[in-house]
Amino acid sequence: KNIRIARGTKPVNEVPEHLVILDALLQKKEEPDLDSIRIDFKNRSPFVLVKAGDELAILQRKKEGVLGWNVRGIAIPYTTSKIQMLKPGKNTLLKGDKVVCVCDGRFEYSEDMFYVSEVLELTGDVDYNTGNIDFSGDVIVHGEIKDNFKVRAGGTIFCKKAMEAAEVIGGKDLVVNWGIIGKKKGRIQVKGDVTAK
């Protein structure tokens, strides 16, 4: 009893070459620290913004599989591990074993691709859900820019509804479809044209 008379070895699966996105880019929206005395929700953002030259992913080289053996000395074949195969998309560049972004922008990914967008598109309002916006490219807001929030963009700012008493700074134009309600405290500073209803 308790004496090993035979032992096999398990096979080691082959792992194909694949890209792995950096953990820091996959973090979910930061949860508030309930112990904090004061939380500035206007400066919290759910977006992952990156700058030119930032690393996005690392290339994991192929790992060869290893045969296993049973107690009779018969080989046990290995299989190939199923890995999510990601492809680098627009505004990315593979440099050696790393993928970097070639411009400032918003990092986005799906099941099979990741890329950097030069346009920040918001489906709703600029409010406490988004926080203040500070983006190097163009910003499209499908809702409103609410009171006391700030939108800073290196390109054009396009607001499909109304802009309330907010602060907007743009490197190009500002277009507001529904008009601007400044309430004597709103502030606009753009290098291009301002167009509003």
Side-chain angles (χ1 to χ4, degrees):
K1 292 183 178 181
N2 301 322
I3 297 174
R4 182 181 293 117
I5 60 172
R7 179 170 61 185
T9 56
K10 293 182 178 180
V12 178
N13 289 346
E14 177 183 274
V15 180
E17 184 175 87
H18 62 284
L19 290 168
V20 177
I21 297 174
L22 297 183
D23 288 341
L25 300 175
L26 300 176
Q27 291 179 352
K28 295 181 180 179
K29 185 176 179 181
E30 183 183 355
E31 294 297 326
D33 180 5
L34 299 179
D35 296 329
S36 296
I37 297 174
R38 178 177 178 275
I39 301 172
D40 187 355
F41 287 99
K42 290 182 181 178
N43 287 322
R44 301 169 71 84
S45 174
F47 310 114
V48 179
L49 304 181
V50 293
K51 295 186 177 296
D54 285 354
E55 292 181 14
L56 304 177
I58 297 175
L59 181 65
Q60 299 287 338
R61 296 294 182 184
K62 178 181 177 181
K63 291 183 180 179
E64 298 291 342
V66 178
L67 289 174
W69 299 91
N70 69 15
V71 293
R72 298 177 182 276
I74 299 174
I76 304 172
Y78 59 82
T79 59
T80 301
S81 297
K82 293 182 179 179
I83 300 292
Q84 185 179 21
M85 305 301 287
L86 293 169
K87 295 180 181 178
K90 65 179 181 179
N91 298 321
T92 65
L93 177 66
L94 180 62
K95 282 188 174 181
D97 289 345
K98 298 176 182 177
V99 177
V100 299
C101 56
V102 298
C103 68
D104 295 357
R106 177 184 179 183
F107 176 78
E108 300 189 53
Y109 67 96
S110 62
E111 291 183 358
D112 59 356
M113 179 180 289
F114 61 93
Y115 59 95
V116 176
S117 175
E118 295 175 276
V119 177
L120 179 61
E121 189 166 359
L122 310 178
T123 56
D125 301 330
V126 175
D127 55 17
Y128 286 104
N129 289 316
T130 64
N132 293 327
I133 303 299
D134 190 349
F135 190 67
S136 60
D138 296 338
V139 174
I140 300 173
V141 181
H142 287 268
E144 299 181 355
I145 302 175
K146 295 295 188 179
D147 280 347
N148 302 316
F149 282 88
K150 298 178 182 179
V151 177
R152 181 188 298 268
T156 295
I157 300 168
F158 185 82
C159 179
K160 292 194 173 181
K161 292 187 178 179
M163 173 184 160
E164 297 183 0
E167 180 178 328
V168 171
I169 300 174
K172 293 183 180 177
D173 301 333
L174 169 65
V175 179
V176 185
N177 277 0
W178 285 11
I180 299 168
I181 310 165
K183 301 177 185 177
K184 297 185 179 180
K185 60 181 180 178
R187 178 171 177 260
I188 297 171
Q189 180 183 332
V190 294
K191 294 182 179 180
D193 296 330
V194 175
T195 306
K197 184 176 179 180

